[in-house]
Amino acid sequence: MAHRLHTWLPCFGILLVVLSLPNSLARGYTESRIKSAVFLSPEFVLGPGSVVDKFYMNIDFPSGHIALKSFNAEVVDEAGNPIPLHETYLHHWGVVRYYQRKGIEVPKYNDKFGFHQSDLIILRNSGICETGLGQYFGLGSETRKTATHVPDPYGIEVGNPAEIPPGYEEIWMMNVHAIDTRGVEDRLGCTECRCDLYNVTKDGHGNPLRPDYVGGLHCCYDQTQCRLRDGFEGTKRSLFMRYTIKYVDWDTSVVPVKIYVFDVTDTWKKVDETTGLPTKHHCLVEYDIESFSAAGVIEDAYTDTKTVSLSLPTGGTVIYGVAHQHTGAIGSTLYGEDGRVICSSIPTYGEGKEAGNEAGYIVGMSTCYPNPGSVEISDGETLVLVSNYSREQRHTGVMGLFYILVADASPKSKSLLVSPVEKHKELTVPISLWGIALFGAAIAIAVVVANRKRNERVDGYESIVM
């Protein structure tokens, strides 16, 4: 059973009224009721070069009918000390919600059948991928400096007793994928799951890898081992995910939001050329980046730009947005059908050695909090997702995900208080991204990068070295 370190934040009783803004809107009603709970995941043990990729069932989670306001997590040791990415790389973590029949034994993850069992009902986010990516929250190396706060008066509704089937209870699961890179031969190669460094020819299910698969999730599954430097010796240690959940009790003042996760590798087509019917949203999750030396003569040999068009069945008001990318990323943008910027998310690379500022790693992604009602998506609108990476060197198993939170375009008038906007300071990002169209800036960056010499850095990050 996970360790529980539950705390409750006392109400501050502060009501802020912003008189200086046009159409002054009050805020703070929900904020004053925020509770906070801090938990530890079950223990996982890592030695130099080893990998953990576990699914923890029935983790500790606040109970009752609540609205989630944020979910933050990090890797810590037994003493609660944060572990830097250059020691334990957090490839990704995610939390999934489901209903479990009361009275049954907690099931174990089954590689063949997953969690699709009669006693479990998986509750996915609102989409749109039909394969994987069903999490409610999930990040990677950027977790410490990426805002996840849901602004007032919005919240992610969970625990509604009217929606839980008779005889079931709401449960949460956590997936943790971490790689210990102490003493490894190639730190970047290990974090990017290069197959030759893990000496594997089959995936975690025992299936042979295809000949052109050189790196990615299929090579760094649970209990695999990345190659160490000759003679290196190190000890195993016990680690935990420490996660903090902020929430409020549900009432009619909270406006519910839907979670959408997009993937730039989605193979969806609006109309199949053969059948004339729409295809499924099959998301591949990862892809590779070739270096400019192997890219040939192309328009911009220094930047890899991957683009996909996606259709959102039901629209609404966008209240939050953020991308998830890996080392080498330049940034990602979600566009509307008319070319308007819905959200641009840019990575922050660390510059030091301490946890949260590790040189060569993405330690944060900028987030978007538009003014309420200022960014709308129409029902059935076709969106365009663009993911940009540097081609300075090859990268395997990178990701191009994008999260947005969407509320009903016409929130009920009974909502008591509406926040005009909640902006999070971009810790180390020098450019504010709130509601600013960065299309022109993206073009300018691409032009500058394309004209740099090959021996110059083009991506703004340092190599992950020993």
Side-chain angles (χ1 to χ4, degrees), residues 85-372:
L85 293 168
H86 52 76
E87 293 183 13
T88 297
Y89 179 73
L90 185 56
H91 189 282
H92 69 263
W93 61 268
V95 290
V96 177
R97 176 179 170 229
Y98 65 99
Y99 295 144
Q100 176 181 298
R101 192 185 302 277
K102 294 180 180 179
I104 68 167
E105 183 179 352
V106 176
K108 297 181 183 297
Y109 181 71
N110 182 298
D111 284 338
K112 184 175 181 181
F113 299 106
F115 294 102
H116 299 288
Q117 303 171 26
S118 60
D119 292 326
L120 299 175
I121 302 172
I122 303 297
L123 302 171
R124 297 174 55 85
N125 56 56
S126 295
I128 51 181
C129 293
E130 297 173 69
T131 54
L133 302 178
Q135 67 270 19
Y136 268 55
F137 291 96
L139 293 171
S141 67
E142 75 275 23
T143 186
R144 288 189 174 102
K145 290 187 175 180
T146 300
T148 64
H149 182 65
V150 182
D152 290 344
Y154 305 101
I156 300 169
E157 182 182 11
V158 299
N160 185 348
E163 297 178 354
I164 302 176
Y168 285 76
E169 59 184 333
E170 184 179 272
I171 301 293
W172 290 81
M173 175 194 76
M174 175 179 283
N175 170 226
V176 178
H177 187 187
I179 303 170
D180 192 314
T181 58
R182 292 174 296 163
V184 297
E185 183 180 290
D186 181 345
R187 188 168 281 151
L188 178 60
C190 288
T191 63
E192 294 189 337
C193 303
R194 260 182 36 201
C195 301
D196 60 329
L197 291 173
Y198 285 89
N199 193 30
V200 297
T201 57
K202 296 181 179 180
D203 65 19
H205 303 281
N207 302 314
L209 298 172
R210 66 177 192 268
D212 62 343
Y213 191 84
V214 295
L217 291 169
H218 294 307
C219 289
C220 60
Y221 44 90
D222 193 47
Q223 297 184 32
T224 51
Q225 174 73 38
C226 200
R227 191 159 62 231
L228 299 176
R229 299 195 306 270
D230 290 341
F232 182 85
E233 295 183 4
T235 59
K236 292 183 178 180
R237 61 182 177 185
S238 296
L239 301 174
F240 307 83
M241 286 295 291
R242 180 170 59 198
Y243 55 104
T244 302
I245 304 170
K246 293 187 178 182
Y247 63 100
V248 296
D249 293 328
W250 185 267
D251 64 29
T252 56
S253 69
V254 181
V255 178
V257 295
K258 295 179 180 179
I259 304 169
Y260 288 96
V261 181
F262 305 127
D263 181 7
V264 78
T265 68
D266 194 338
T267 61
W268 176 83
K269 300 292 182 184
K270 197 166 187 177
V271 177
D272 184 275
E273 294 180 359
T274 303
T275 65
L277 300 173
T279 62
K280 290 186 177 181
H281 287 277
H282 180 59
C283 298
L284 304 177
V285 181
E286 60 180 4
Y287 64 106
D288 295 339
I289 305 296
E290 294 294 340
S291 67
F292 57 64
S293 60
V297 180
I298 58 176
E299 183 177 351
D300 183 4
Y302 292 90
T303 302
D304 180 276
T305 298
K306 194 171 184 65
T307 303
V308 66
S309 295
L310 306 160
S311 180
L312 195 62
T314 303
T317 298
V318 178
I319 61 105
Y320 171 84
V322 69
H324 169 66
Q325 295 182 300
H326 290 190
T327 300
I330 298 173
S332 183
T333 301
L334 183 66
Y335 296 95
E337 195 168 81
D338 58 358
R340 72 191 186 286
V341 172
I342 292 174
C343 177
S344 283
S345 186
I346 309 299
T348 297
Y349 286 89
E351 299 176 343
K353 294 183 178 180
E354 68 275 17
N357 187 37
E358 301 93 331
Y361 296 87
I362 293 180
V363 297
M365 294 294 296
S366 65
T367 49
C368 298
Y369 287 88
N371 285 299

